[in-house]
Structures are given as structure tokens and as C-alpha cells.
């Protein structure tokens, strides 16, 4: 009997077809045509057509032994087709252009709706017979029962029979809550949550029309009415629920891996109320598990490999870590696309994503997914920067030098590092503009601090690019900008204290005071080095031609004014022995040069008289 057991799931099939063929955007015409085509194909496959041409061939009644999944799908699509047609006609009756035919359209919509209820009731009777013969599981029967109750409750609400509609919808809501609580997989749980969210506003509307107090409390109303009327509406309800729980315990042992972990944000769970989101988030969870598993062996390997092979094994591990992020980034991109489509569908249809007050909606879920995507992208880029700088750093020699030197990096790598840091800055900027980040002041400050810190690092590496091309003025300007960004980072971090356990501290981008001190030391050292190289190159001139080398202005002028004692310098350097002092001999008087008294040059005598004789006393003449 287990070989002939059917795996029919009415709610799952209806949800998939509705989302894929128009009902995501309330296009009932498209969905009705799809259901018509699907019923024609199913009838041809099952060979249940009524003959060809004008000859009508009556079909034999279905028996429990020869019913297949296709027969149940045929009844479901017939019901969906009639329901979509009724909704399409009701929508047309509300248009101003069809005001004259509004009554006729509403009457036709009522007939189609009644036809949908008829098909769903027939489907339920077949499923009950299959469940009695153990050919259908308890979950399958519960889904068909819920589908029939929802359709019948909506029809009663459409006929303004609010009391009976409220009872039908409340019992359906109780069964949906039971499905969500005891679901084996997260997809089944989200599926039950979707249908519960759909009928929540209808329960509230019926309670409001009946004048009930606290009509907004959908959960309390559903619990109260389902407790009274579920035995009347659903035959053997408690036994069915008990059988469903037993089946769930047995099936949960083999499918526990499909359970989505609880997503948390600031101590509160993030609700995932859509089956499509569950599928992509399960892929994200699997990719995160692979990254976690890859980190543990890499850490053990790096701890065991020391000495000469340390740089090589670390580089290999970094490259493998960068490649491991491709799967999770792809899964998060798919999740973001699904969430964005759900938002677009909600905006176009004008519906709300959740009927529970205070529940985070799809907009919050989309922002959360984007935050996770940007954080993983930042992790990947930072890891790639570290891998580039580590793999292309010159290998250390075995000779020990007296003075430790700064680690040298190939200058050709700086443009690639700057490009990666540009991507990190772009991701941090997008993250800062997210609503969930803006609502948390501490997290916003933490993201802002990492943004300015990354800008400081980018300016530092970009300055090295200009140094390689002998553009020292631009390099010094970038070093000054890096110092300003670093000072801004310290100012931002001083406004709050980062707690490593809190969600306000991004774990994907650790930032410690030692990192700030290290960058500050690097910036100051690079600034001094650039100044010395610039002064050596052309004396610090901005207007000089970079193609010709020019000595500084005061390069060797000091030697013209300072008398260096070269003998003493060589003596102290140990290059030449000290010269023996030679006694100075007296020079005879005859060999001395005799001083010859020379007469002074006579000054010219000006002519006497006139103005010169009158003012002559001013020049000291007597």
C-alpha cells in the first residue's frame, strides 16, 4: 500500500502556481488562462476527455483504487480556474466603464465562485477517502481541508454571511497554525505562514462587521471560534492533528538538515514568511557552514606549518578562503533578488506583507539580506587585499640585519589594492544608507568609523602609487588626507564604546585601537619618507621638470664656508695615521721680505671758489 501512496499537497501547488502565473501582481486573467491550459493538458494525459467533435462521451466515476495525483491536480486546477474567473469578473464589475453591466458581472462572479467551492468540495471528499484507505498522509488531507475552508469562507464573506465566514476562516487559521508549529521543514512552515497572513485581514474584517470587541486581535478570535466549532467543521479534527504530529516526528529525523536556523537582529528574530525566501536562505546557510568548516582546517594547518613554509601555506589558505566566498555571495544575491521582487509585488498589489501587528515586514527582511550581502562582500575584499599583499611580499632572508627594515611590497600591486578598497568604501556607503543601520545609532557610528578608516587606508596606498611616478606633491596631499580621515575615525569611535558581543560591532570588519595606531605610524613614516625623497629628487620644487634630475639648491654650498679638518676626520675614521708634527725652523731676517713704505695716493684738488668752496667743510676739507 505504501507504493500507491500519493504525495499531493494542495497548498504548496496552489501557492507555486499563483506566484508563477500572475497572481503575484493580481493578474487574474493570466492565471485563469494558465489554469485552463493546465486542465486541458491534464485531461489529455489522464485520458479523461469527453470525446471528439459533437459526440459527448460520459466519463466513468472515479474510484479510490484508480485515483492518481493527476486526478487530484485536475480537481484543484478546476477550482482555481473558477475562483480566478470569479475574481476577474468581480474586478471588472467595479470599473466605471462597466457600470451598466455591473449587476450581470457580479451575478456571473457569484456563479463561478460557487463552482469553485463545488470543485474543492469534490476534491476534499476524494482526499478523505484516500486518507481512510491510507493512500494519503495526514498533512495532505490537512492542506486540502484548509484549502476548502478558505475558499468556502471567502465565498460566504462575498455573500455577506460574515458569521459563518468567520467560523470557517477561524478553523482554517487554527489548522494553519498547527501546520506552522509542527512543520518538518522551514519551507512548509513558511507556506503555512503565507496562507495565515492572507486570511488574517479577512478574519478581522468579518469580526468588525459583526461588531465584536477587539476585532483587531486575530489570534484570540481564531482560537476562540476554532475551539467551539472545529469538530463540527472538520470531521475527526483531533485525530487528524494527532496523526499529523506523529508523522512529523518520524519525518523530522531524516529531514532536519532542511530546517532554517533562526535569523537574529539586535536580539529579535527575523521572520521569513515566504517559501521562496526559505529556499534561497537555506542555500546561504549551507554556504556559511562550508566557510566555517574551511576555516577550521585552515587554522589547524597554519598552526602546524611554521618556519620557512609559513608564508607559503598562509598564502594558499588565503586564496582558498577568497574562493569560498563565491557560493555565499551568489546565494545572497539570489535572496536579495527574491526579496526585491516580493517588495515590488506588494507595492503593485497594494497589500501588506504581514497581518500580525508589530511583525517585521518584507522591507525589513530585504534590508537585512542586503546588509548580510554587503558584509560578506567586504569580508571577501579585505581577505583579497591581505592575500595580495602577503603573496607578493619578498621572502625574508636567513641573514639577520642589525636594524629592522620596513616590509617592502611590489609597487605594481598598489593600484589593485586601491581598487579593492574602493569597492569596500562603496559597500560601506551602501550599508550606511540602509534603514536598519540608520535606526541603530551605535551601528551607524561603527559603520561610519570603518568607512573613514578605509578611506585613510586608500589614501595611504594611493600615495604610494604617486610616489612610484615621482609625483611627490600629490602623494603628500594624499598623506595629509589620510591623517584627517584617521583623526575623524578616532573622533567617531570616541563617541561610543564597542562591545564585541553586541550586534552594533560589525564582526566582518574588526577595528581595534592597535589598528589605528599602526596606520597612524605608517602614515607618519610614509610622509617623512616622501619628503626626503622629494627633497633629494629636485629639492622640493613643484614646478621642476620631472624628467631631469636637479640637485637641491643648498647641496654643497656649505663646503665653501666651512673649513673641514680632513686629517682629523681620517684619523678618527682610522684610514690614515696621524701625521708627525714637524718643528718649525726660524726664518733668517735677510730672507724676509722688507716692507716698503709706499706714498699715499694724492687726492685730486678741486678748483677753489664757487659753490664747492662754500660747501667744502661738509666733506672734511680744511
Amino acid at each position: 500500500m505504501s507504493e500507491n501512496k500519493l504525495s499531493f499537497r494542495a497548498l504548496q501547488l496552489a501557492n507555486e502556481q499563483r506566484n508563477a502565473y500572475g497572481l503575484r501582481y493580481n493578474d487574474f486573467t493570466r492565471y485563469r488562462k494558465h489554469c485552463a491550459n493546465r486542465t486541458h493538458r491534464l485531461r489529455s494525459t489522464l485520458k479523461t476527455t469527453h470525446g471528439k467533435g459533437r459526440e459527448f462521451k460520459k466519463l466513468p466515476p472515479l474510484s479510490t483504487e484508480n485515483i492518481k495525483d493527476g486526478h487530484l491536480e485536475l480537481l484543484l486546477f478546476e477550482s482555481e480556474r473558477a475562483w480566478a474567473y470569479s475574481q476577474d469578473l468581480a474586478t471588472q464589475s467595479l470599473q466605471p466603464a462597466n457600470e451598466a453591466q455591473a449587476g450581470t458581472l457580479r451575478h456571473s462572479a457569484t456563479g463561478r465562485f460557487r463552482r469553485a467551492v463545488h470543485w474543492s468540495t469534490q476534491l476534499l471528499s476524494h482526499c478523505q477517502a484516500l486518507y481512510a484507505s491510507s493512500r494519503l498522509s495526514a498533512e495532505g488531507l490537512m492542506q486540502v481541508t484548509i484549502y476548502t475552508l478558505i475558499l468556502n469562507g471567502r465565498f460566504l464573506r462575498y455573500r455577506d454571511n460574515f458569521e459563518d465566514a468567520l467560523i470557517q476562516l477561524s478553523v482554517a487559521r487554527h489548522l494553519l497554525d498547527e501546520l506552522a508549529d509542527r512543520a518538518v521543514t522551514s519551507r512548509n512552515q513558511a507556506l503555512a505562514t503565507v496562507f495565515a497572513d492572507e486570511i488574517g485581514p479577512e478574519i478581522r474584517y468579518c469580526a468588525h462587521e459583526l461588531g465584536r470587541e477587539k476585532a483587531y486581535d486575530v489570534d484570540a478570535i481564531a482560537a476562540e471560534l476554532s475551539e467551539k466549532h472545529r469538530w463540527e467543521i472538520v470531521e475527526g479534527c483531533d485525530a487528524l492533528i494527532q496523526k499529523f504530529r506523529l508523522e512529523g516526528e518520524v519525518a523530522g529525523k531524516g529531514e532536519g538538515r532542511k530546517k532554517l536556523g533562526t535569523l537574529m537582529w539586535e536580539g529579535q528574530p527575523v521572520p521569513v514568511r515566504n517559501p521562496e525566501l526559505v529556499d534561497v536562505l537555506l542555500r546561504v546557510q549551507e554556504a556559511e557552514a562550508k566557510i566555517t568548516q574551511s576555516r577550521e582546517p585552515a587554522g589547524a594547518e597554519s598552526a602546524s606549518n611554521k618556519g620557512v613554509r609559513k608564508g607559503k601555506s598562509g598564502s594558499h589558505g588565503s586564496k582558498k578562503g577568497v574562493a569560498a566566498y563565491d557560493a555565499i555571495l551568489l546565494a545572497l544575491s539570489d535572496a536579495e533578488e527574491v526579496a526585491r521582487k516580493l517588495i515590488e509585488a506588494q507595492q503593485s498589489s497594494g497589500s501588506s506583507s504581514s497581518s500580525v501587528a508589530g511583525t517585521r515586514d518584507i522591507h525589513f527582511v530585504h534590508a537585512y539580506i542586503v546588509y548580510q550581502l554587503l558584509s560578506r562582500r567586504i569580508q571577501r575584499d579585505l581577505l583579497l587585499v591581505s592575500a595580495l599583499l602577503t603573496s607578493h611580499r619578498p621572502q625574508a632572508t636567513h641573514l639577520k640585519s642589525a636594524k629592522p627594515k620596513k616590509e617592502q611590497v611590489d609597487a605594481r600591486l598598489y593600484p589593485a589594492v586601491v581598487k579593492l578598497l574602493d569597492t569596500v568604501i562603496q559597500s560601506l556607503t551602501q550599508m550606511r544608507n540602509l534603514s536598519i543601520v540608520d535606526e541603530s545609532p551605535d551601528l551607524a557610528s561603527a559603520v561610519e568609523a570603518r568607512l573613514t578608516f578605509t578611506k585613510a587606508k586608500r589614501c595611504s596606498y594611493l600615495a604610494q602609487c604617486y610616489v612610484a611616478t615621482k609625483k611627490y606633491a600629490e602623494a603628500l596631499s594624499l598623506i595629509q588626507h589620510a591623517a584627517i580621515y584617521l583623526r575623524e575615525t578616532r573622533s567617531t569611535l570616541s563617541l561610543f564604546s564597542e562591545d564585541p558581543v553586541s550586534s552594533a560591532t560589525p564582526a566582518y570588519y574588526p577595528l581595534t585601537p592597535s589598528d589605528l595606531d599602526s596606520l597612524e605610524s605608517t602614515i607618519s613614516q610614509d610622509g617623512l619618507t616622501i619628503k626626503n625623497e622629494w627633497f633629494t629628487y629636485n629639492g622640493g620644487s613643484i614646478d621642476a621638470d620631472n624628467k631631469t634630475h636637479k640637485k637641491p639648491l643648498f647641496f654643497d654650498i656649505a663646503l665653501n664656508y666651512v673649513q673641514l679638518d680632513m686629517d682629523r676626520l681620517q684619523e678618527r675614521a682610522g684610514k690614515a695615521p696621524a701625521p708627525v708634527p714637524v718643528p718649525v725652523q726660524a726664518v733668517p731676517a735677510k730672507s724676509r721680505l722688507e716692507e716698503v713704505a709706499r706714498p699715499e695716493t694724492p687726492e685730486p684738488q678741486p678748483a677753489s671758489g664757487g659753490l664747492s668752496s662754500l660747501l667744502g667743510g661738509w666733506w672734511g676739507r680744511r
Side-chain angles (χ1 to χ4, degrees):
M1 187 64 67
S2 60
E3 297 179 358
N4 297 328
K5 198 166 186 178
L6 305 180
S7 60
F8 178 71
R9 300 292 183 269
L11 295 181
Q12 179 179 348
L13 182 59
N15 180 73
E16 291 175 356
Q17 299 299 316
R18 289 177 182 181
N19 290 333
Y21 295 98
L23 284 198
R24 189 190 296 274
Y25 302 97
N26 289 339
D27 191 354
F28 291 101
T29 304
R30 179 190 173 192
Y31 185 60
R32 174 176 62 86
K33 293 179 179 179
H34 164 71
C35 291
N37 295 332
R38 188 67 181 266
T39 54
H40 294 333
R41 290 196 299 269
L42 284 172
R43 289 186 184 277
S44 301
T45 303
L46 298 172
K47 297 180 181 181
T48 56
T49 58
H50 295 281
K52 297 182 179 180
R54 297 182 178 181
E55 182 181 359
F56 180 79
K57 181 181 178 181
K58 188 177 181 179
L59 297 175
L62 287 174
S63 61
T64 308
E65 290 77 13
N66 58 6
I67 288 181
K68 302 178 181 178
D69 285 329
H71 294 95
L72 301 180
E73 292 180 8
L74 178 61
L75 294 174
L76 177 65
F77 279 108
E78 287 285 5
S79 177
E80 287 286 288
R81 177 186 180 184
W83 171 74
Y85 200 2
S86 68
Q87 298 301 307
D88 191 13
L89 293 173
T91 304
Q92 293 179 16
S93 65
L94 299 177
Q95 296 178 359
N98 300 327
E99 185 177 0
Q101 303 175 353
T104 306
L105 291 173
R106 283 195 297 269
H107 180 73
S108 301
T110 304
R112 291 291 176 177
F113 216 146
R114 187 179 290 109
R115 191 67 180 169
V117 174
H118 169 72
W119 286 114
S120 64
T121 306
Q122 188 176 352
L123 173 64
L124 178 60
S125 63
H126 285 297
C127 289
Q128 288 175 346
L130 291 171
Y131 174 74
S133 61
S134 300
R135 292 193 59 196
L136 187 65
S137 64
E139 182 181 2
L141 180 59
M142 284 184 66
Q143 290 197 13
V144 175
T145 304
I146 292 169
Y147 176 81
T148 306
L149 289 175
I150 292 176
L151 204 59
N152 194 23
R154 287 175 175 174
F155 177 70
L156 293 173
R157 182 185 61 83
Y158 181 75
R159 300 285 293 171
D160 293 339
N161 191 352
F162 298 111
E163 186 174 359
D164 293 340
L166 183 60
I167 294 174
Q168 297 273 344
L169 293 174
S170 297
V171 174
R173 174 62 185 269
H174 173 72
L175 294 178
L176 284 170
D177 292 341
E178 188 67 29
L179 280 179
D181 294 339
R182 300 286 180 171
V184 177
T185 63
S186 297
R187 180 181 176 83
N188 295 342
Q189 182 181 7
L191 180 66
T193 305
V194 165
F195 280 92
D197 291 343
E198 286 183 0
I199 66 175
E202 300 182 57
I203 295 175
R204 185 166 55 248
Y205 175 75
C206 293
H208 175 73
E209 291 295 329
L210 293 174
R212 294 177 62 95
E213 295 182 359
K214 296 182 179 180
Y216 56 85
D217 195 353
V218 177
D219 295 335
I221 295 173
E224 177 187 353
L225 295 179
S226 63
E227 185 70 25
K228 295 179 181 179
H229 302 282
R230 63 185 180 186
W231 294 281
E232 304 172 3
I233 304 299
V234 181
E235 182 180 357
C237 182
D238 291 342
L240 180 62
I241 293 176
Q242 188 65 26
K243 183 69 176 299
F244 167 70
R245 292 177 179 177
L246 292 176
E247 292 179 355
E249 292 178 359
V250 175
K253 297 179 180 179
E255 297 184 1
R257 59 184 178 86
K258 296 183 179 179
K259 199 74 173 179
L260 180 65
T262 304
L263 306 179
M264 302 297 293
W265 179 261
E266 294 184 347
Q268 297 294 328
V270 178
V272 182
R273 315 179 72 87
N274 193 280
E276 299 177 11
L277 269 179
V278 170
D279 293 338
V280 291
L281 289 179
L282 279 174
R283 291 165 48 197
V284 173
Q285 181 174 297
E286 293 175 359
E288 288 181 347
K290 291 181 180 178
I291 289 182
T292 306
Q293 294 175 1
S294 64
R295 285 178 179 174
E296 295 177 357
E301 181 182 357
S302 62
S304 60
N305 295 334
K306 295 181 180 180
V308 181
R309 298 179 58 187
K310 181 178 180 181
K312 185 177 180 180
S313 63
S315 174
H316 183 63
S318 300
K319 292 180 180 179
K320 290 179 62 178
V322 170
Y325 279 91
D326 293 340
I328 189 171
L329 289 177
L330 179 60
L332 284 170
S333 299
D334 295 341
E336 189 274 333
E337 184 179 359
V338 171
R340 178 167 43 82
K341 288 183 178 179
L342 291 175
I343 292 177
E344 294 174 356
Q346 177 185 339
Q347 292 175 350
S348 62
S349 61
S351 61
S352 62
S353 61
S354 175
S355 62
V356 183
T359 303
R360 291 165 168 173
D361 56 358
I362 188 61
H363 294 273
F364 178 86
V365 177
H366 177 261
Y368 174 81
I369 293 174
V370 172
Y371 180 85
Q372 297 297 327
L373 173 62
L374 294 175
S375 63
R376 291 297 184 178
R377 188 179 298 169
I378 291 171
Q379 274 186 319
R380 192 270 314 270
D381 293 337
L382 293 177
L383 186 60
L384 187 57
V385 170
S386 176
L388 282 175
L389 296 178
T390 304
S391 61
H392 292 79
R393 184 173 292 137
Q395 298 293 333
T397 58
H398 298 283
L399 298 178
K400 296 182 179 180
S401 58
K403 297 181 180 180
K405 295 183 179 180
K406 181 183 176 181
E407 294 181 343
Q408 299 294 329
V409 181
D410 192 351
R412 294 173 296 179
L413 290 179
Y414 290 127
V417 174
V418 170
K419 184 64 176 178
L420 289 172
L421 292 178
D422 283 335
T423 309
V424 174
I425 292 174
Q426 182 182 2
S427 300
L428 288 172
T429 305
Q430 295 178 5
M431 184 181 293
R432 180 62 182 86
N433 295 329
L434 292 176
S435 58
I436 58 175
V437 176
D438 199 25
E439 292 171 357
S440 178
D442 291 342
L443 181 58
S445 300
V447 173
E448 189 70 30
R450 281 151 181 80
L451 178 60
T452 53
F453 180 76
T454 309
K455 289 182 178 180
K457 291 181 65 176
R458 177 187 177 276
C459 290
S460 176
Y461 284 111
L462 188 58
Q464 299 300 325
C465 298
Y466 280 100
V467 169
T469 58
K470 307 300 183 181
K471 296 182 179 181
Y472 298 103
E474 291 84 351
L476 276 179
S477 178
L478 289 169
I479 289 295
Q480 294 174 0
H481 278 79
I484 293 174
Y485 283 130
L486 188 60
R487 188 161 56 247
E488 186 177 351
T489 303
R490 291 186 182 275
S491 176
T492 305
L493 291 177
S494 64
L495 299 178
F496 72 102
S497 59
E498 289 195 352
D499 186 7
V501 184
S502 175
S503 61
T505 302
Y508 56 87
Y509 197 160
L511 185 59
T512 60
S514 60
D515 297 332
L516 301 179
D517 297 338
S518 176
L519 182 59
E520 184 177 9
S521 175
T522 302
I523 289 174
S524 60
Q525 184 179 358
D526 290 345
L528 182 60
T529 304
I530 292 171
K531 290 178 183 178
N532 293 333
E533 292 182 4
W534 190 11
F535 187 80
T536 305
Y537 181 67
N538 59 3
S541 176
I542 301 177
D543 301 330
D545 187 8
N546 293 330
K547 296 182 180 179
T548 58
H549 181 71
K550 178 182 177 182
K551 287 186 177 181
L553 180 63
F554 303 102
F555 188 76
D556 53 358
I557 295 181
L559 298 177
N560 297 331
Y561 295 93
V562 178
Q563 185 67 30
L564 295 179
D565 191 354
M566 298 302 300
D567 297 336
R568 180 61 178 166
L569 289 177
Q570 290 183 358
E571 178 185 357
R572 295 184 62 182
K575 293 184 178 180
V580 180
V582 180
V584 180
Q585 299 179 359
V587 181
K590 294 182 179 180
S591 61
R592 296 179 180 176
L593 297 176
E594 295 181 358
E595 296 182 358
V596 180
R598 297 180 180 178
E600 296 182 358
T601 305
E603 298 180 359
Q605 298 292 332
S608 61
L611 185 61
S612 61
S613 61
L614 180 62
L615 302 177
W618 290 2
W619 281 272
R621 290 210 316 262
R622 297 177 181 178

